[in-house]
Amino acid sequence: MAAKPKLYYFNGRGRMESVRWLLAAAGVEYEEVLFKTAEDFENLIKGGILMYQQVPMVEMDGMYMVQTRAILKYIAAKYDLYGKDLKERAMIDMYVEGMRDLNDMIMLFPFSLPEEKQKNLNYILGRATQRFFPVYEKALKDHGKNYLVGNQLSWADVQLLEVILMVEELKAGVLCAFPKLQEFKARVIKLPRIQKFLQPGSPRKPPVDDASFEVSRKIYKIDKNFVLKHMS
Amino acid sequence: MAAKPKLYYFDGRGRMESVRWLLAAAGVEYEEVLFETAEDFWNLIKSGKLMYDQVPMVEMDGMSIVQTRAILKYIAAKYNLYGKDLKERTIIDMYVEGMRDLNDMIMLFPFSLPEEKQKILNYILERATQRFFPVYEKALKDHGKNYLVGNQLSWADVQLLEVILMVEELKSGVLSVFPKVQEFKARVSKLPNIQKFLQPGSPRKPQEDETTVEVVKKIFKLDEDLFLQHM
Protein backbone atom coordinates (compact mmCIF):
# COMPACT_ATOMS: atom_id res chain seq x y z
CA MET A 1 0.00 0.00 0.00
CA ALA A 2 1.39 3.36 -1.04
CA ALA A 3 2.60 5.71 1.67
CA LYS A 4 0.57 8.83 2.29
CA PRO A 5 1.84 12.06 0.70
CA LYS A 6 4.00 14.08 3.08
CA LEU A 7 3.79 17.85 3.04
CA TYR A 8 6.84 19.85 4.22
CA TYR A 9 6.15 23.45 5.24
CA PHE A 10 5.77 26.02 7.96
CA ASN A 11 2.84 25.79 10.32
CA GLY A 12 0.71 28.19 8.35
CA ARG A 13 -1.20 28.63 5.11
CA GLY A 14 1.30 30.30 2.82
CA ARG A 15 1.61 28.55 -0.52
CA MET A 16 0.94 25.08 0.87
CA GLU A 17 -2.67 25.79 1.72
CA SER A 18 -3.84 25.29 -1.87
CA VAL A 19 -2.18 21.85 -1.80
CA ARG A 20 -3.99 20.95 1.43
CA TRP A 21 -7.29 21.99 -0.14
CA LEU A 22 -6.73 20.02 -3.32
CA LEU A 23 -5.68 16.80 -1.61
CA ALA A 24 -8.68 17.13 0.67
CA ALA A 25 -11.01 17.63 -2.29
CA ALA A 26 -9.49 14.54 -3.89
CA GLY A 27 -10.18 12.57 -0.70
CA VAL A 28 -6.49 11.85 -0.15
CA GLU A 29 -5.13 11.62 3.38
CA TYR A 30 -1.71 13.06 4.02
CA GLU A 31 0.87 13.77 6.69
CA GLU A 32 2.57 17.04 7.42
CA VAL A 33 6.09 17.87 8.56
CA LEU A 34 5.74 21.38 9.97
CA PHE A 35 8.83 23.38 10.83
CA LYS A 36 8.88 24.73 14.34
CA THR A 37 12.17 26.61 14.15
CA ALA A 38 14.47 28.19 11.59
CA GLU A 39 16.83 25.23 12.14
CA ASP A 40 14.15 22.73 11.07
CA PHE A 41 13.94 24.48 7.73
CA GLU A 42 17.70 24.87 7.42
CA ASN A 43 18.17 21.16 8.13
CA LEU A 44 15.77 20.30 5.36
CA ILE A 45 17.77 22.46 2.98
CA LYS A 46 20.98 20.75 4.08
CA GLY A 47 19.31 17.40 3.48
CA GLY A 48 19.53 18.25 -0.22
CA ILE A 49 16.03 17.22 -1.21
CA LEU A 50 14.73 20.70 -2.03
CA MET A 51 15.47 21.30 -5.71
CA TYR A 52 15.74 25.06 -5.32
CA GLN A 53 16.04 25.22 -1.51
CA GLN A 54 12.42 26.24 -1.44
CA VAL A 55 9.17 25.00 0.00
CA PRO A 56 6.40 23.89 -0.49
CA MET A 57 7.68 20.38 -1.01
CA VAL A 58 5.53 17.25 -1.23
CA GLU A 59 6.97 13.77 -1.01
CA MET A 60 4.69 11.56 -3.05
CA ASP A 61 4.91 8.63 -5.48
CA GLY A 62 8.67 8.46 -5.18
CA MET A 63 9.19 12.15 -5.96
CA TYR A 64 10.18 15.18 -3.92
CA MET A 65 7.98 17.67 -5.72
CA VAL A 66 8.66 21.37 -5.40
CA GLN A 67 7.15 24.47 -7.00
CA THR A 68 3.55 24.90 -5.94
CA ARG A 69 2.14 24.81 -9.46
CA ALA A 70 4.00 21.58 -10.31
CA ILE A 71 2.62 19.98 -7.15
CA LEU A 72 -0.96 21.14 -7.76
CA LYS A 73 -0.92 20.04 -11.39
CA TYR A 74 0.30 16.59 -10.48
CA ILE A 75 -2.43 16.15 -7.88
CA ALA A 76 -5.13 17.58 -10.14
CA ALA A 77 -4.15 15.29 -13.00
CA LYS A 78 -3.71 12.20 -10.85
CA TYR A 79 -7.08 12.55 -9.14
CA ASP A 80 -9.10 13.58 -12.18
CA LEU A 81 -9.59 17.20 -11.17
CA TYR A 82 -8.05 18.63 -14.34
CA GLY A 83 -10.83 18.39 -16.91
CA LYS A 84 -11.31 15.75 -19.56
CA ASP A 85 -9.14 17.11 -22.37
CA LEU A 86 -6.52 19.65 -23.28
CA LYS A 87 -8.96 22.49 -23.90
CA GLU A 88 -10.65 22.03 -20.53
CA ARG A 89 -7.23 21.95 -18.96
CA ALA A 90 -6.38 25.26 -20.64
CA MET A 91 -9.58 26.80 -19.21
CA ILE A 92 -8.75 25.50 -15.76
CA ASP A 93 -5.21 26.83 -16.08
CA MET A 94 -6.49 30.26 -17.04
CA TYR A 95 -8.79 30.35 -14.05
CA VAL A 96 -6.32 29.07 -11.44
CA GLU A 97 -3.51 31.31 -12.63
CA GLY A 98 -5.68 34.36 -12.03
CA MET A 99 -6.67 33.03 -8.64
CA ARG A 100 -3.03 32.41 -7.84
CA ASP A 101 -2.26 36.09 -8.44
CA LEU A 102 -4.97 37.01 -5.93
CA ASN A 103 -3.80 34.30 -3.54
CA ASP A 104 -0.27 35.68 -3.56
CA MET A 105 -1.45 39.19 -2.78
CA ILE A 106 -3.37 37.86 0.21
CA MET A 107 -0.41 35.74 1.32
CA LEU A 108 1.98 38.69 1.28
CA PHE A 109 -0.50 41.07 2.92
CA PRO A 110 0.57 40.37 6.54
CA PHE A 111 4.06 41.51 5.58
CA SER A 112 2.88 45.03 4.75
CA LEU A 113 4.26 47.88 6.76
CA PRO A 114 1.64 49.21 9.18
CA GLU A 115 1.28 52.44 7.22
CA GLU A 116 0.65 50.46 4.00
CA LYS A 117 -1.86 47.98 5.35
CA GLN A 118 -5.02 49.90 4.54
CA LYS A 119 -3.84 50.75 1.05
CA ASN A 120 -2.86 47.15 0.33
CA LEU A 121 -6.12 45.85 1.72
CA ASN A 122 -8.08 48.21 -0.49
CA TYR A 123 -6.00 47.08 -3.46
CA ILE A 124 -6.64 43.40 -2.78
CA LEU A 125 -10.37 43.93 -2.36
CA GLY A 126 -10.44 46.08 -5.48
CA ARG A 127 -8.70 43.39 -7.54
CA ALA A 128 -10.92 40.69 -6.14
CA THR A 129 -14.20 42.47 -6.85
CA GLN A 130 -13.27 44.19 -10.10
CA ARG A 131 -10.90 41.90 -11.91
CA PHE A 132 -11.28 38.37 -10.63
CA PHE A 133 -14.75 37.67 -9.21
CA PRO A 134 -16.52 39.16 -12.25
CA VAL A 135 -14.74 36.62 -14.46
CA TYR A 136 -15.95 33.63 -12.49
CA GLU A 137 -19.42 35.11 -11.97
CA LYS A 138 -19.75 35.50 -15.72
CA ALA A 139 -18.47 31.99 -16.43
CA LEU A 140 -21.02 30.44 -14.08
CA LYS A 141 -23.81 32.63 -15.42
CA ASP A 142 -22.99 31.97 -19.09
CA HIS A 143 -23.01 28.18 -18.94
CA GLY A 144 -25.39 27.83 -16.00
CA LYS A 145 -23.65 24.69 -14.76
CA ASN A 146 -22.65 23.85 -11.22
CA TYR A 147 -18.90 23.89 -11.76
CA LEU A 148 -16.56 26.23 -13.55
CA VAL A 149 -15.33 23.83 -16.23
CA GLY A 150 -16.77 20.76 -17.90
CA ASN A 151 -19.69 20.24 -15.58
CA GLN A 152 -17.66 18.38 -13.00
CA LEU A 153 -15.59 19.34 -9.96
CA SER A 154 -12.10 20.46 -10.90
CA TRP A 155 -9.07 22.13 -9.40
CA ALA A 156 -10.53 25.47 -10.52
CA ASP A 157 -13.58 25.01 -8.30
CA VAL A 158 -11.52 24.05 -5.26
CA GLN A 159 -9.18 26.98 -5.79
CA LEU A 160 -12.09 29.38 -6.21
CA LEU A 161 -13.70 28.30 -2.96
CA GLU A 162 -10.39 28.73 -1.13
CA VAL A 163 -9.96 32.23 -2.54
CA ILE A 164 -13.55 33.25 -1.78
CA LEU A 165 -13.22 32.23 1.86
CA MET A 166 -9.90 34.06 2.25
CA VAL A 167 -11.24 37.27 0.75
CA GLU A 168 -14.30 37.03 3.00
CA GLU A 169 -11.96 36.80 5.97
CA LEU A 170 -10.58 40.17 4.93
CA LYS A 171 -14.03 41.64 4.35
CA ALA A 172 -17.30 39.92 5.08
CA GLY A 173 -20.06 40.28 2.53
CA VAL A 174 -17.68 40.78 -0.37
CA LEU A 175 -19.79 38.40 -2.50
CA CYS A 176 -22.93 40.54 -2.18
CA ALA A 177 -22.73 41.65 -5.81
CA PHE A 178 -22.05 38.13 -7.14
CA PRO A 179 -25.15 35.94 -6.84
CA LYS A 180 -23.78 33.07 -8.92
CA LEU A 181 -20.65 32.95 -6.79
CA GLN A 182 -22.76 32.87 -3.67
CA GLU A 183 -24.69 29.87 -5.00
CA PHE A 184 -21.42 28.27 -6.10
CA LYS A 185 -19.91 28.74 -2.65
CA ALA A 186 -22.96 27.26 -0.90
CA ARG A 187 -23.01 24.30 -3.26
CA VAL A 188 -19.31 23.37 -3.21
CA ILE A 189 -19.06 23.78 0.56
CA LYS A 190 -21.65 21.03 0.94
CA LEU A 191 -19.56 18.40 -0.86
CA PRO A 192 -18.59 15.79 1.76
CA ARG A 193 -14.80 16.06 1.36
CA ILE A 194 -14.96 19.84 1.45
CA GLN A 195 -17.20 19.72 4.50
CA LYS A 196 -14.66 17.48 6.20
CA PHE A 197 -11.83 19.88 5.39
CA LEU A 198 -13.80 22.77 6.90
CA GLN A 199 -14.32 21.00 10.23
CA PRO A 200 -12.12 21.82 13.23
CA GLY A 201 -9.26 19.36 13.49
CA SER A 202 -8.71 19.12 9.74
CA PRO A 203 -5.31 20.03 8.23
CA ARG A 204 -6.72 23.41 7.25
CA LYS A 205 -4.66 26.23 8.72
CA PRO A 206 -6.13 29.38 10.31
CA PRO A 207 -5.69 32.89 8.92
CA VAL A 208 -2.71 34.85 10.10
CA ASP A 209 -3.36 37.03 13.12
CA ASP A 210 -0.97 39.74 14.16
CA ALA A 211 0.26 38.17 17.38
CA SER A 212 1.08 34.73 15.99
CA PHE A 213 2.57 36.37 12.93
CA GLU A 214 5.08 38.27 15.04
CA VAL A 215 6.01 35.07 16.83
CA SER A 216 6.48 33.22 13.53
CA ARG A 217 8.52 36.05 12.10
CA LYS A 218 10.96 35.79 14.95
CA ILE A 219 11.16 32.03 14.88
CA TYR A 220 11.71 31.73 11.17
CA LYS A 221 13.51 35.07 10.79
CA ILE A 222 11.09 35.83 8.00
CA ASP A 223 10.63 38.97 6.06
CA LYS A 224 9.18 39.52 2.62
CA ASN A 225 12.51 38.78 0.95
CA PHE A 226 12.69 35.47 2.74
CA VAL A 227 9.24 34.62 1.44
CA LEU A 228 10.16 35.47 -2.12
CA LYS A 229 13.47 33.63 -1.89
CA HIS A 230 12.39 30.47 -0.13
CA MET A 231 8.81 29.90 -1.15
CA SER A 232 7.71 29.20 -4.64
CA MET B 1 -6.61 24.50 -42.78
CA ALA B 2 -6.40 25.95 -39.30
CA ALA B 3 -5.51 29.60 -38.90
CA LYS B 4 -2.08 30.37 -37.52
CA PRO B 5 -1.89 31.23 -33.82
CA LYS B 6 -2.00 34.98 -33.20
CA LEU B 7 0.09 36.50 -30.45
CA TYR B 8 -1.08 39.78 -28.90
CA TYR B 9 1.61 41.78 -27.06
CA PHE B 10 3.81 44.84 -27.24
CA ASP B 11 6.94 44.83 -29.39
CA GLY B 12 9.34 43.36 -26.87
CA ARG B 13 10.23 40.15 -25.08
CA GLY B 14 8.45 40.46 -21.77
CA ARG B 15 6.41 37.39 -20.91
CA MET B 16 5.56 36.58 -24.51
CA GLU B 17 9.11 35.65 -25.48
CA SER B 18 8.83 32.18 -23.94
CA VAL B 19 5.74 31.59 -26.10
CA ARG B 20 7.61 32.67 -29.23
CA TRP B 21 10.42 30.24 -28.37
CA LEU B 22 8.11 27.33 -27.71
CA LEU B 23 6.05 27.74 -30.88
CA ALA B 24 9.30 28.05 -32.84
CA ALA B 25 10.68 24.87 -31.26
CA ALA B 26 7.42 23.13 -32.18
CA GLY B 27 7.85 24.30 -35.77
CA VAL B 28 4.59 26.26 -35.67
CA GLU B 29 4.31 29.48 -37.66
CA TYR B 30 2.40 32.32 -36.07
CA GLU B 31 1.35 35.92 -36.51
CA GLU B 32 1.84 38.74 -34.08
CA VAL B 33 -0.31 41.76 -33.24
CA LEU B 34 2.13 44.17 -31.60
CA PHE B 35 0.77 47.25 -29.84
CA GLU B 36 2.37 50.52 -30.76
CA THR B 37 0.26 52.87 -28.68
CA ALA B 38 -1.73 52.88 -25.47
CA GLU B 39 -4.91 53.02 -27.57
CA ASP B 40 -3.99 49.74 -29.29
CA PHE B 41 -3.83 48.04 -25.92
CA TRP B 42 -6.99 49.64 -24.52
CA ASN B 43 -8.93 48.72 -27.63
CA LEU B 44 -7.97 45.12 -27.08
CA ILE B 45 -9.19 45.37 -23.50
CA LYS B 46 -12.45 46.88 -24.68
CA SER B 47 -12.93 44.05 -27.15
CA GLY B 48 -13.42 41.78 -24.14
CA LYS B 49 -10.99 39.13 -25.33
CA LEU B 50 -8.68 39.47 -22.33
CA MET B 51 -10.01 37.42 -19.43
CA TYR B 52 -8.24 39.53 -16.81
CA ASP B 53 -7.44 42.59 -18.97
CA GLN B 54 -3.92 41.25 -19.22
CA VAL B 55 -1.48 40.14 -21.88
CA PRO B 56 0.11 37.87 -23.12
CA MET B 57 -2.86 36.56 -25.06
CA VAL B 58 -2.75 33.95 -27.81
CA GLU B 59 -5.65 33.28 -30.13
CA MET B 60 -5.50 29.67 -31.16
CA ASP B 61 -7.83 26.74 -31.76
CA GLY B 62 -10.89 28.85 -31.12
CA MET B 63 -9.66 30.12 -27.75
CA SER B 64 -8.29 33.46 -26.52
CA ILE B 65 -5.80 31.99 -24.08
CA VAL B 66 -4.35 34.24 -21.37
CA GLN B 67 -1.94 33.66 -18.47
CA THR B 68 1.51 32.80 -19.75
CA ARG B 69 1.66 29.43 -18.05
CA ALA B 70 -1.73 28.36 -19.43
CA ILE B 71 -0.56 29.30 -22.93
CA LEU B 72 2.78 27.50 -22.62
CA LYS B 73 1.22 24.37 -21.18
CA TYR B 74 -1.30 24.17 -23.97
CA ILE B 75 1.38 24.51 -26.63
CA ALA B 76 3.72 22.06 -24.91
CA ALA B 77 1.00 19.44 -24.58
CA LYS B 78 -0.38 19.91 -28.08
CA TYR B 79 3.01 19.62 -29.78
CA ASN B 80 4.39 16.78 -27.69
CA LEU B 81 6.90 18.85 -25.74
CA TYR B 82 5.54 17.90 -22.33
CA GLY B 83 7.01 14.46 -21.66
CA LYS B 84 5.35 11.11 -22.14
CA ASP B 85 3.50 10.72 -18.83
CA LEU B 86 2.42 12.54 -15.70
CA LYS B 87 5.69 12.03 -13.86
CA GLU B 88 7.76 13.43 -16.72
CA ARG B 89 5.35 16.34 -16.93
CA THR B 90 5.87 17.05 -13.26
CA ILE B 91 9.64 17.11 -13.58
CA ILE B 92 9.29 19.45 -16.55
CA ASP B 93 6.97 21.61 -14.43
CA MET B 94 9.51 21.74 -11.60
CA TYR B 95 12.24 22.81 -13.99
CA VAL B 96 10.27 25.44 -15.91
CA GLU B 97 8.79 26.99 -12.77
CA GLY B 98 12.29 27.62 -11.43
CA MET B 99 13.34 29.04 -14.79
CA ARG B 100 10.27 31.23 -14.78
CA ASP B 101 11.36 32.78 -11.49
CA LEU B 102 14.70 33.66 -13.07
CA ASN B 103 12.99 34.83 -16.24
CA ASP B 104 10.80 37.24 -14.29
CA MET B 105 13.79 38.75 -12.50
CA ILE B 106 15.47 39.38 -15.85
CA MET B 107 12.29 40.77 -17.37
CA LEU B 108 11.84 43.30 -14.58
CA PHE B 109 15.51 44.29 -14.49
CA PRO B 110 15.31 47.11 -17.10
CA PHE B 111 12.67 48.74 -14.92
CA SER B 112 14.89 49.00 -11.88
CA LEU B 113 15.91 52.40 -10.61
CA PRO B 114 19.40 53.44 -11.79
CA GLU B 115 20.81 53.37 -8.27
CA GLU B 116 19.59 49.79 -7.78
CA LYS B 117 20.68 48.33 -11.10
CA GLN B 118 24.05 46.98 -10.04
CA LYS B 119 22.67 45.38 -6.89
CA ILE B 120 19.84 43.72 -8.79
CA LEU B 121 22.15 42.54 -11.56
CA ASN B 122 24.41 40.94 -8.98
CA TYR B 123 21.40 39.27 -7.42
CA ILE B 124 20.19 37.86 -10.74
CA LEU B 125 23.63 36.48 -11.59
CA GLU B 126 24.00 35.02 -8.11
CA ARG B 127 20.62 33.30 -8.32
CA ALA B 128 21.40 32.00 -11.80
CA THR B 129 24.80 30.56 -10.93
CA GLN B 130 24.06 29.34 -7.42
CA ARG B 131 20.46 28.29 -7.35
CA PHE B 132 19.31 27.50 -10.86
CA PHE B 133 22.15 26.45 -13.17
CA PRO B 134 23.54 23.93 -10.65
CA VAL B 135 20.18 22.13 -10.69
CA TYR B 136 20.19 21.68 -14.46
CA GLU B 137 23.92 20.88 -14.56
CA LYS B 138 23.36 18.11 -12.05
CA ALA B 139 20.31 16.76 -13.90
CA LEU B 140 22.22 16.52 -17.18
CA LYS B 141 25.26 15.02 -15.46
CA ASP B 142 23.26 12.44 -13.49
CA HIS B 143 21.38 10.90 -16.39
CA GLY B 144 23.93 11.70 -19.09
CA LYS B 145 21.25 12.16 -21.73
CA ASN B 146 20.94 14.94 -24.27
CA TYR B 147 17.78 16.49 -22.90
CA LEU B 148 16.58 17.39 -19.45
CA VAL B 149 13.65 14.97 -19.26
CA GLY B 150 12.78 11.68 -20.88
CA ASN B 151 15.52 11.67 -23.48
CA GLN B 152 13.59 13.82 -25.90
CA LEU B 153 13.22 17.56 -26.49
CA SER B 154 10.68 19.13 -24.16
CA TRP B 155 9.47 22.53 -23.03
CA ALA B 156 12.08 22.39 -20.26
CA ASP B 157 14.93 22.28 -22.79
CA VAL B 158 13.56 25.16 -24.82
CA GLN B 159 13.02 27.24 -21.70
CA LEU B 160 16.52 26.46 -20.44
CA LEU B 161 18.13 27.58 -23.68
CA GLU B 162 16.13 30.81 -23.60
CA VAL B 163 17.22 31.52 -20.02
CA ILE B 164 20.88 30.67 -20.69
CA LEU B 165 21.04 33.12 -23.60
CA MET B 166 19.38 35.87 -21.59
CA VAL B 167 21.73 35.45 -18.64
CA GLU B 168 24.71 35.45 -21.02
CA GLU B 169 23.48 38.75 -22.42
CA LEU B 170 23.80 40.16 -18.91
CA LYS B 171 27.22 38.59 -18.37
CA SER B 172 29.06 36.54 -20.93
CA GLY B 173 30.99 33.47 -19.83
CA VAL B 174 28.52 32.78 -17.03
CA LEU B 175 28.40 29.10 -18.07
CA SER B 176 32.14 28.65 -17.55
CA VAL B 177 31.67 26.42 -14.50
CA PHE B 178 28.82 24.40 -16.00
CA PRO B 179 30.29 22.09 -18.65
CA LYS B 180 27.15 19.97 -19.12
CA VAL B 181 24.98 23.05 -19.58
CA GLN B 182 27.52 24.37 -22.13
CA GLU B 183 27.29 21.14 -24.13
CA PHE B 184 23.52 21.29 -23.81
CA LYS B 185 23.46 24.84 -25.14
CA ALA B 186 25.63 23.95 -28.14
CA ARG B 187 23.55 20.88 -28.93
CA VAL B 188 20.07 22.42 -28.63
CA SER B 189 21.07 25.59 -30.50
CA LYS B 190 21.86 23.37 -33.52
CA LEU B 191 18.37 21.88 -33.83
CA PRO B 192 16.84 23.15 -37.11
CA ASN B 193 13.76 24.81 -35.59
CA ILE B 194 15.93 26.51 -32.97
CA GLN B 195 18.55 27.58 -35.54
CA LYS B 196 15.80 29.17 -37.57
CA PHE B 197 14.52 31.10 -34.54
CA LEU B 198 18.02 32.40 -33.83
CA GLN B 199 18.43 33.86 -37.32
CA PRO B 200 17.88 37.57 -37.96
CA GLY B 201 14.35 38.20 -39.22
CA SER B 202 12.77 35.59 -36.96
CA PRO B 203 10.05 36.61 -34.46
CA ARG B 204 12.68 36.62 -31.73
CA LYS B 205 12.82 40.01 -30.02
CA PRO B 206 16.06 41.80 -29.08
CA GLN B 207 17.31 42.34 -25.58
CA GLU B 208 15.29 44.84 -23.59
CA ASP B 209 16.92 48.25 -23.19
CA GLU B 210 15.91 51.76 -22.19
CA THR B 211 13.94 52.22 -25.43
CA THR B 212 11.82 49.18 -24.59
CA VAL B 213 11.19 50.56 -21.14
CA GLU B 214 9.94 53.82 -22.63
CA VAL B 215 7.70 52.01 -25.12
CA VAL B 216 6.20 49.79 -22.43
CA LYS B 217 5.61 52.75 -20.14
CA LYS B 218 3.86 54.58 -22.94
CA ILE B 219 1.64 51.66 -23.94
CA PHE B 220 0.64 50.69 -20.45
CA LYS B 221 0.68 54.31 -19.22
CA LEU B 222 2.83 53.22 -16.45
CA ASP B 223 4.13 53.24 -13.22
CA GLU B 224 5.25 49.90 -11.96
CA ASP B 225 1.98 49.00 -10.25
CA LEU B 226 0.00 49.32 -13.44
CA PHE B 227 2.61 47.34 -15.31
CA LEU B 228 2.28 44.39 -13.04
CA GLN B 229 -1.48 44.74 -13.23
CA HIS B 230 -1.54 44.20 -16.97
CA MET B 231 0.90 41.36 -17.48
Side-chain angles (χ1 to χ4, degrees):
Chain A
M1 183 166 154
K4 294 181 192 176
K6 227 182 215 174
L7 279 51
Y8 291 75
Y9 205 61
F10 304 95
N11 187 6
R13 288 181 175 175
R15 291 210 159 107
M16 189 62 101
E17 194 72 355
S18 296
V19 177
R20 298 178 182 115
W21 270 94
L22 196 57
L23 285 169
V28 176
E29 288 195 13
Y30 48 94
E31 294 171 8
E32 297 201 75
V33 175
L34 301 171
F35 315 137
K36 293 198 179 74
T37 63
E39 285 67 48
D40 287 347
F41 179 51
E42 281 154 24
N43 286 338
L44 184 63
I45 291 181
K46 284 191 223 146
I49 50 178
L50 299 181
M51 182 181 276
Y52 303 109
Q53 294 102 54
Q54 290 172 326
V55 283
M57 189 270 279
V58 175
E59 210 181 306
M60 161 176 198
D61 297 341
M63 295 182 289
Y64 293 109
M65 287 191 285
V66 295
Q67 293 287 346
T68 314
R69 287 174 173 89
I71 297 166
L72 290 168
K73 274 172 211 321
Y74 181 78
I75 296 167
K78 182 175 178 182
Y79 295 104
D80 196 26
L81 291 165
Y82 214 170
K84 67 177 190 301
D85 58 29
L86 188 49
K87 282 200 176 184
E88 285 194 356
R89 216 163 80 194
M91 287 305 303
I92 291 167
D93 281 337
M94 282 196 264
Y95 289 148
V96 298
E97 285 296 326
M99 294 170 200
R100 164 78 182 236
D101 286 347
L102 188 53
N103 234 352
D104 276 359
M105 283 184 234
I106 296 172
M107 182 185 72
L108 291 169
F109 175 61
F111 293 93
S112 337
L113 301 168
E115 59 270 22
E116 289 179 334
K117 270 197 143 72
Q118 191 58 53
K119 185 183 80 159
N120 287 345
L121 179 60
N122 291 343
Y123 183 73
I124 291 170
L125 294 172
R127 295 281 88 199
T129 56
Q130 291 172 35
R131 170 164 290 181
F132 294 106
F133 288 168
V135 170
Y136 314 122
E137 177 78 9
K138 181 180 193 298
L140 291 166
K141 190 170 171 204
D142 284 353
H143 61 47
K145 303 277 194 336
N146 284 347
Y147 301 107
L148 278 169
V149 179
N151 207 14
Q152 63 178 27
L153 185 76
S154 78
W155 171 20
D157 302 300
V158 182
Q159 190 74 75
L160 180 55
L161 180 59
E162 178 190 357
V163 160
I164 284 172
L165 294 181
M166 286 204 298
V167 177
E168 285 185 329
E169 281 166 353
L170 294 176
K171 183 180 179 188
V174 73
L175 284 193
C176 58
F178 303 104
K180 291 290 168 194
L181 286 181
Q182 289 178 49
E183 291 168 21
F184 171 88
K185 173 190 164 191
R187 194 165 51 232
V188 176
I189 273 181
K190 288 208 192 75
L191 296 171
R193 292 168 180 166
I194 305 291
Q195 277 272 294
K196 189 173 166 200
F197 187 66
L198 292 171
Q199 301 302 324
S202 84
R204 189 181 185 215
K205 301 293 174 279
V208 176
D209 69 72
D210 290 334
S212 64
F213 183 66
E214 278 312 308
V215 171
S216 299
R217 265 233 261 223
K218 292 198 174 73
I219 290 175
Y220 304 127
K221 299 176 220 152
I222 293 178
D223 57 21
K224 191 166 162 180
N225 281 331
F226 178 92
V227 172
L228 293 171
K229 191 169 161 177
H230 285 292
M231 288 167 51
S232 193
Chain B
M1 182 168 155
K4 293 181 190 173
K6 226 181 215 176
L7 278 51
Y8 291 75
Y9 208 58
F10 69 92
D11 190 4
R13 288 180 176 177
R15 290 207 161 111
M16 189 62 100
E17 194 71 357
S18 296
V19 178
R20 298 179 182 114
W21 270 93
L22 195 58
L23 284 169
V28 176
E29 288 195 14
Y30 48 95
E31 294 172 8
E32 297 201 75
V33 176
L34 301 171
F35 318 135
E36 272 151 33
T37 65
E39 284 64 42
D40 288 344
F41 179 52
W42 289 107
N43 285 338
L44 182 61
I45 290 183
K46 282 188 231 153
S47 76
K49 289 187 192 175
L50 301 182
M51 181 180 277
Y52 304 108
D53 300 337
Q54 289 173 326
V55 285
M57 188 269 276
V58 175
E59 244 171 39
M60 104 185 247
D61 298 342
M63 295 182 287
S64 298
I65 315 178
V66 296
Q67 293 287 343
T68 314
R69 288 171 173 88
I71 296 166
L72 291 167
K73 277 173 208 322
Y74 182 78
I75 295 166
K78 182 175 179 180
Y79 295 105
N80 197 22
L81 291 165
Y82 214 171
K84 69 178 190 299
D85 57 29
L86 184 52
K87 281 201 177 181
E88 284 193 357
R89 214 164 82 197
T90 300
I91 299 176
I92 290 168
D93 281 338
M94 283 195 267
Y95 289 152
V96 298
E97 286 296 328
M99 294 170 201
R100 165 73 181 244
D101 286 347
L102 188 52
N103 233 353
D104 275 358
M105 282 183 237
I106 296 171
M107 182 187 70
L108 291 170
F109 174 59
F111 294 88
S112 25
L113 299 169
E115 59 269 23
E116 290 181 331
K117 274 195 142 71
Q118 191 57 52
K119 186 182 81 165
I120 292 178
L121 178 60
N122 292 343
Y123 182 72
I124 292 172
L125 294 171
E126 183 254 338
R127 294 281 87 197
T129 56
Q130 292 182 31
R131 170 165 288 182
F132 295 106
F133 289 166
V135 170
Y136 314 122
E137 177 77 10
K138 181 179 192 300
L140 290 165
K141 188 168 171 204
D142 283 355
H143 61 47
K145 304 279 196 331
N146 284 347
Y147 301 107
L148 279 170
V149 180
N151 208 15
Q152 64 179 26
L153 184 75
S154 77
W155 172 20
D157 302 301
V158 180
Q159 190 73 76
L160 179 55
L161 180 59
E162 178 190 358
V163 161
I164 285 169
L165 295 180
M166 288 206 295
V167 177
E168 284 184 330
E169 280 167 350
L170 293 176
K171 183 180 181 191
S172 61
V174 73
L175 285 192
S176 56
V177 293
F178 303 107
K180 291 291 168 194
V181 178
Q182 286 181 49
E183 292 168 20
F184 170 90
K185 174 193 166 189
R187 195 165 52 231
V188 177
S189 296
K190 288 206 192 76
L191 297 171
N193 286 340
I194 304 292
Q195 274 271 294
K196 189 173 163 197
F197 188 67
L198 293 171
Q199 301 302 327
S202 84
R204 187 180 186 215
K205 301 294 174 274
Q207 185 182 9
E208 241 95 75
D209 59 22
E210 286 76 44
T211 325
T212 318
V213 173
E214 289 315 306
V215 167
V216 168
K217 283 186 175 167
K218 187 182 69 161
I219 289 177
F220 296 104
K221 288 207 169 92
L222 282 220
D223 54 53
E224 189 181 299
D225 279 349
L226 208 56
F227 174 62
L228 292 170
Q229 263 187 55
H230 285 291
M231 290 174 57

